[in-house]
């Protein structure tokens, strides 16, 4: 398992931190309370876990938090995990599921074809 595989609660906090690029624990807690109804201690616990994993850096004074891992890196880990869990590593199986459910738009299909043609 990758060190950048995050549970949903940590991804929610990281979404805010990535969007802000630099923020405080206090601002993060206020946002999480407003958006998800979290208690301050819940957010602080998630921030502590993210810091211990090396996903964010905590700086004082003011308990400022900075992302150390990019959104794209975590996204790749999540995509790999999804592929392994549900599609036995088959990219074709994943896309087939999206195609069967009409989730991919015409424009996205064109973009995918262009990506495949480049490789």
């Amino acid at each position: 398992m990758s060190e950048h595989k995050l549970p949903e609660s940590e991804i929610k906090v990281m979404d805010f931190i990535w969007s802000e690029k630099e923020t405080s624990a206090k601002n993060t807690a206020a946002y999480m309370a407003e958006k998800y109804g979290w208690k301050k201690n819940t957010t602080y616990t998630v921030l502590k876990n993210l810091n211990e994993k090396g996903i964010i850096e905590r700086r004082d004074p003011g308990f400022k938090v900075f992302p150390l891992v990019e959104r794209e890196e975590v996204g790749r880990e999540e995509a790999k995990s999804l592929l392994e869990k549900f599609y036995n590593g088959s990219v074709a199986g994943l896309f087939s599921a999206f195609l069967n459910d009409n989730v991919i738009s015409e424009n996205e299909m064109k973009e995918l074809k262009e990506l495949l043609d480049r490789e």
Side-chain angles (χ1 to χ4, degrees):
M1 179 123 0
S2 169
E3 64 185 276
H4 297 128
K5 177 83 175 86
L6 305 179
E8 186 176 345
S9 59
E10 291 177 0
I11 290 173
K12 286 178 178 179
V13 170
M14 286 307 300
D15 277 338
F16 177 71
I17 294 171
W18 283 319
S19 70
E20 297 294 306
K21 296 183 179 45
E22 171 188 334
T23 190
S24 67
K26 181 179 178 182
N27 287 345
T28 305
Y31 175 82
M32 299 307 288
E34 182 180 321
K35 183 154 186 173
Y36 300 108
W38 288 14
K39 302 283 186 207
K40 180 173 84 169
N41 286 344
T42 301
T43 301
Y44 279 47
T45 297
V46 172
L47 289 170
K48 178 180 177 254
N49 292 341
L50 288 166
N51 187 56
E52 288 174 356
K53 289 180 178 181
I55 304 296
I56 63 169
E57 181 181 342
R58 175 190 172 163
R59 297 183 194 159
D60 287 314
F63 196 160
K64 299 282 187 199
V65 293
F66 302 84
L68 297 175
V69 176
E70 297 295 325
R71 178 189 302 269
E72 293 75 17
E73 189 174 343
V74 173
R76 282 191 302 275
E77 296 296 334
E78 292 294 323
K80 287 177 190 175
S81 176
L82 178 69
L83 270 178
E84 290 303 318
K85 280 185 201 173
F86 293 99
Y87 301 100
N88 294 320
S90 170
V91 174
L94 172 68
F95 283 105
S96 177
F98 284 123
L99 289 171
N100 289 336
D101 289 342
N102 296 315
V103 175
I104 299 176
S105 71
E106 290 282 328
N107 284 340
E108 289 171 322
M109 186 69 79
K110 183 180 174 186
E111 287 177 36
L112 287 171
K113 285 178 183 176
E114 288 173 3
L115 283 172
L116 289 171
D117 287 342
R118 272 195 294 188
E119 298 300 318

